[in-house]
Amino acid sequence: MSLPVPAEGDVRQGGQYGSLAMTSAISAALLGMGGWLTFLGLGRWYVELEFPPYQPPPWVFTPVWTVVLTLLAWSTWLVCRRVGHPGVGLALGLYGAQCVLNVGWSLLFFTVERPDVAMWELLALDVTLALMIAAYARVSKVAAVMLVPYFAWLMMSTAINAWIVAENPSFGA
């Protein structure tokens, strides 16, 4: 016997906006923690790095991350609304993992000043987000599509991080 699969907008438990407040708070915390960890690591070592010619100007990062994390909150809210769907547990587990990996990258790259180690962590985040998009798609196609800008931004971040590691001899080029 299989569990019934609720319709896209089906809300099985509680207030439908409580989980939106929760996912929004988590996204705001991710934005704040990432910004704080970045600020802690901005120093002489960072200024002296060689950067790729395709890296966006510094002012672009905060607005892009704000949009990306807002979409993450909304998409996760859509998944949370599907309580009872068999794919929700996996989707939310991957969401938790990407939260940890997201903050971990800022810690490793900026605060610990190890772009080389951060690169491996970022690759783990890339894979986790790809799996998360697939898991979200099983629960809500709309939620999965909302994660595509995050994935695109991560691919840009991965390219930037890889270039920095390759072109800065202190990180094993």
Side-chain angles (χ1 to χ4, degrees), residues 21-163:
M22 179 187 66
T23 60
S24 297
I26 291 169
S27 282
L30 287 174
L31 186 63
M33 289 174 68
W36 180 64
L37 291 169
T38 299
F39 174 76
L40 290 177
L42 291 179
R44 184 177 178 150
W45 81 275
Y46 183 77
V47 174
E48 292 176 354
L49 288 175
E50 293 292 326
F51 295 98
Y54 53 85
Q55 179 168 323
W59 65 266
V60 169
F61 287 83
T62 299
V64 170
W65 273 114
T66 301
V67 169
V68 162
L69 292 174
T70 298
L71 289 170
L72 175 65
W74 288 344
S75 67
T76 303
W77 173 62
L78 291 175
V79 170
C80 288
R81 293 181 57 179
R82 300 290 305 278
V83 173
H85 187 284
V88 170
L90 174 62
L92 294 179
L94 289 165
Y95 168 75
Q98 76 73 37
C99 286
V100 170
L101 290 166
N102 184 304
V103 171
W105 181 84
S106 295
L107 175 69
L108 291 170
F109 188 97
F110 290 104
T111 312
V112 180
E113 300 177 10
R114 291 296 306 264
D116 54 338
V117 176
M119 184 67 216
W120 291 104
E121 199 273 357
L122 186 53
L123 292 171
L125 178 55
D126 293 343
V127 170
T128 300
L129 186 60
L131 293 171
M132 192 172 128
I133 290 170
Y136 275 39
R138 290 186 194 108
V139 178
S140 167
K141 303 260 188 272
V142 172
V145 169
M146 292 173 81
L147 294 177
V148 171
Y150 184 6
F151 191 75
W153 186 246
L154 270 188
M155 293 301 97
M156 170 66 91
S157 298
T158 301
I160 292 168
N161 196 146
W163 197 97

